[in-house]
Amino acid sequence: MANRILIIEDEEKIARFVELELKHEGNEVEKAFDGREGLEKALSGCFDLILLDVMLPGLNGLEVLRRLRMEKDTPVIMLTARDAVMDKVSGLDAGADDYITKPFAIEELLARIRVALKKRGPVTVTATHNLSIKGVTLDEERYEVTVNGEVVELTNREFELLRMLMRNKNIVLDREKLMNEVCGYDYMGETNIIDVYIRYLRTKIDDRYGIKLIHTVRGVGYVVKE
Ligand code: CA
């Protein structure tokens, strides 16, 4: 079974090597080379596991983990330096599932990845709860959106798109990212299909209730602002 794995590691040689090994095992892999990019990918993508280096430019790994854990339950294995005992403790405290000390044998890393994945069970272990912004409430359990208590009828894709934006509030998501989430990674169509769905959502929510929920960021994508 293919898993989607995100590698957040600024040492490109290590990231590349681990990527090749993981792909060889049949996994899909994405990489990020600094903390900010990593966090953004981790929050907006749908990963089964994240390998997270502690010493990163931008945001350090512990900070990435702390922010990730406010929203997501994705299994995380920290990559730490040999003597950084504090990093290991802080990492586990902050919600890491495991850590591995650099330099590591790839077999050991693969074994730990298997354990972490098994422990968490199959894909999409995301907590269900209510997201609420500007009077718009999205109930992930009931699959329902209400505005000031009134139910808004949305199609599945509109719902997924809105959920993605609301989960990542205040973070600009580009069309490709949104499309991957809403249409699946195999979708090869035009990214402007997202613009069409956004237009539907705006008609049903922003325009109808006079709210400015979904903002366009020219040349980039969309963001829901608190
Ligand atoms: Ca590093």
Side-chain angles (χ1 to χ4, degrees):
M1 185 185 68
N3 288 294
R4 300 201 65 239
I5 299 176
L6 173 64
I7 304 171
I8 309 176
E9 163 67 90
D10 58 314
E11 286 164 81
E12 298 197 17
K13 258 167 77 178
I14 296 182
R16 182 84 193 122
F17 170 65
V18 173
E19 177 188 29
L20 286 175
E21 292 289 336
L22 289 173
K23 280 189 169 166
H24 184 70
E25 300 262 304
N27 300 289
E28 285 175 38
V29 178
E30 265 197 56
K31 300 194 295 295
F33 300 118
D34 69 64
R36 256 171 230 292
E37 185 195 1
L39 178 64
E40 197 180 303
K41 284 193 171 170
L43 287 174
S44 58
C46 185
F47 295 99
D48 300 305
L49 183 105
I50 297 168
L51 297 175
L52 177 59
D53 185 31
V54 175
M55 299 287 285
L56 287 170
L59 281 178
N60 75 46
L62 292 172
E63 192 53 35
V64 171
L65 179 60
R66 264 190 285 270
R67 296 196 194 181
L68 175 70
R69 278 290 172 263
M70 288 185 225
E71 315 226 355
K72 284 196 170 188
D73 209 18
T74 318
V76 170
I77 297 177
M78 305 286 293
L79 310 175
T80 68
R82 186 189 293 279
D83 297 318
V85 180
M86 273 314 292
D87 285 349
K88 293 168 192 164
V89 174
S90 319
L92 294 174
D93 280 352
D97 293 75
D98 199 356
Y99 61 83
I100 190 163
T101 307
K102 291 201 258 185
F104 48 80
I106 192 69
E107 293 76 18
E108 193 190 351
L109 179 64
L110 294 175
R112 283 170 185 251
I113 288 174
R114 277 192 286 273
V115 171
L117 286 170
K118 205 181 271 177
K119 210 167 65 180
R120 289 301 183 98
V123 199
T124 54
V125 197
T126 32
T128 55
H129 54 276
N130 285 350
L131 300 165
S132 200
I133 299 169
K134 290 183 177 168
V136 180
T137 301
L138 185 146
D139 186 327
E140 295 189 289
E141 208 149 2
R142 299 173 64 177
Y143 227 72
E144 189 177 86
V145 172
T146 51
V147 179
N148 304 324
E150 201 178 309
V151 177
V152 181
E153 298 291 342
L154 297 180
T155 65
N156 279 354
R157 281 187 172 171
E158 288 162 5
F159 182 89
E160 295 295 345
L161 183 58
L162 184 63
R163 170 158 70 176
M164 173 92 165
L165 286 163
M166 286 179 73
R167 275 184 176 172
N168 295 286
K169 65 175 180 214
N170 301 324
I171 298 174
V172 181
L173 302 175
D174 63 39
R175 287 178 178 78
E176 199 180 346
K177 214 170 276 176
L178 290 166
M179 202 181 68
N180 287 341
E181 191 71 16
V182 176
C183 307
Y185 275 82
D186 298 322
Y187 184 77
M188 297 299 282
E190 299 288 307
T191 53
N192 63 14
I193 190 167
I194 287 301
D195 301 329
V196 175
Y197 286 123
I198 291 282
R199 208 179 313 138
Y200 292 154
L201 278 174
R202 278 182 171 149
T203 305
K204 290 181 177 181
I205 297 174
D206 296 39
D207 298 349
R208 175 144 175 228
Y209 295 94
I211 315 167
K212 191 90 186 91
L213 183 69
I214 303 170
H215 298 254
T216 305
V217 180
R218 224 168 237 274
V220 187
Y222 297 98
V223 60
V224 157
K225 286 191 191 161
E226 180 100 79

